[in-house]
Amino acid sequence: MNLIFIAPPAAGKGTQSELLCNNRNFYHLSTGDLLREAISKNDENSIKLNQIIEQGKLVGDDIILDLISKEIGKDRDYIFDGFPRNLKQAISLDQLLVSLNRKVDYVIYLKVDKFLAQKRILGRLSCSNCGSVYNSQIEESNPKIEGICDDCGASLIKRTDDNEETFNNRFDTYMKETEPVINYYKDLNILYELDSSLDKYIIFDEIKKIIGVK
Ligand code: AMP
């Protein structure tokens, strides 16, 4: 089973991916994580990639498709988080999966309004070790001890692209480039829309119902 999360920044793609991976043996493929990993190598591409991400623009399709094709050969269930982000990527993913005798089964579209997304982004903190996500601006998502991960005790860090200017650019890029992908999957009858302002466990239950797992 292959599943895609489409959503504006901070709609909870990463959180829902993590919940699903704990529930079932999915392989979580986040193009944002792959890019951050590539940047951390500090090679000649790192500065350029980092600049694009900090400007809130999309990284070139060739780079993204290269990262994806290196990852999806194996016979396992994938969650695509943050990919595809434009029509070209969506069509390329279909072609890649067809060549492997596979397909996209479900596309979960997490809707979020810009104000809530901004609040989530500006307060977002993630664990430098295990990736758990917290929010300094949303009381129920605060860590128990400031700056420390509840789950593993490592320090919490802020992503450098989680600032107001980059957020606005990312949101605009999303509206322009990624929203058309929604209609593409709607036409294929595999799109499911959920309200990301609901509690994360309510959303998770809805997702499990959609994909038919307990
Ligand atoms: P994310 O972690 O999904 O929020 O992605 C962080 C940033 O990485 C985005 O704002 C883009 O600059 C870049 N990025 C992630 N996924 C893609 C993609 N599929 N296509 C192009 N750029 C991407």
Side-chain angles (χ1 to χ4, degrees):
M1 179 196 310
N2 297 305
L3 188 147
I4 293 175
F5 280 114
I6 297 188
K13 300 185 295 274
T15 304
Q16 293 301 328
S17 301
E18 196 186 319
L19 288 170
L20 272 175
C21 287
N22 291 338
N23 173 276
R24 198 190 143 98
N25 205 12
F26 275 111
Y27 184 74
H28 179 202
L29 217 167
S30 154
T31 40
D33 285 348
L34 292 174
L35 288 166
R36 283 182 284 278
E37 202 182 304
I39 289 169
S40 71
K41 286 183 186 147
N42 274 327
D43 61 18
E44 72 271 25
N45 293 322
S46 301
I47 294 174
K48 216 167 142 206
L49 282 177
N50 201 33
Q51 270 172 355
I52 298 171
I53 290 179
E54 299 233 339
Q55 286 164 358
K57 294 182 183 160
L58 291 187
V59 170
D61 293 331
D62 292 351
I63 295 176
I64 298 292
L65 293 168
D66 188 46
L67 288 173
I68 288 285
S69 55
K70 282 185 184 133
E71 294 280 335
I72 70 168
K74 308 209 177 78
D75 189 18
R76 51 191 175 191
D77 294 337
Y78 288 92
I79 295 176
F80 296 100
D81 164 359
F83 172 85
R85 259 176 155 99
N86 60 25
L87 270 180
K88 183 174 176 204
Q89 292 182 10
I91 293 164
S92 301
L93 176 62
D94 279 351
Q95 289 167 345
L96 213 51
L97 288 173
V98 165
S99 72
L100 299 166
N101 262 329
R102 308 191 60 174
K103 64 180 171 52
V104 177
D105 298 288
Y106 302 96
V107 180
I108 311 286
Y109 168 36
L110 298 171
K111 278 183 88 165
V112 67
D113 75 55
K114 190 172 177 183
F115 178 73
L116 178 61
Q118 184 169 22
K119 190 169 158 185
R120 285 179 173 169
I121 283 279
L122 297 184
R124 178 159 72 178
L125 296 168
S126 25
C127 175
S128 52
N129 176 46
C130 70
S132 287
V133 178
Y134 300 86
N135 199 297
S136 61
Q137 295 199 8
I138 300 172
E139 208 182 320
E140 60 273 21
S141 305
N142 285 179
K144 292 193 184 96
I145 303 168
E146 199 182 323
I148 302 292
C149 177
D150 294 352
D151 295 335
C152 74
S155 56
L156 302 181
I157 48 170
K158 195 168 169 58
R159 272 171 51 172
T160 53
D161 57 339
D162 280 351
N163 61 66
E164 195 167 348
E165 192 187 341
T166 307
F167 166 76
N168 281 320
N169 292 336
R170 284 162 74 192
F171 206 89
D172 291 348
T173 303
Y174 168 81
M175 295 306 285
K176 199 167 124 229
E177 306 261 357
T178 311
E179 281 259 324
V181 179
I182 292 165
N183 288 330
Y184 176 78
Y185 290 120
K186 207 182 258 172
D187 290 346
L188 295 173
N189 281 324
I190 50 172
L191 187 90
Y192 299 83
E193 193 173 310
L194 295 173
D195 175 359
S196 87
S197 65
L198 297 172
D199 176 83
K200 65 179 177 183
Y201 294 109
I202 295 178
I203 300 173
F204 182 48
D205 282 343
E206 288 300 316
I207 294 173
K208 284 192 292 183
K209 271 187 225 155
I210 292 167
I211 67 173
V213 300
K214 291 212 170 132

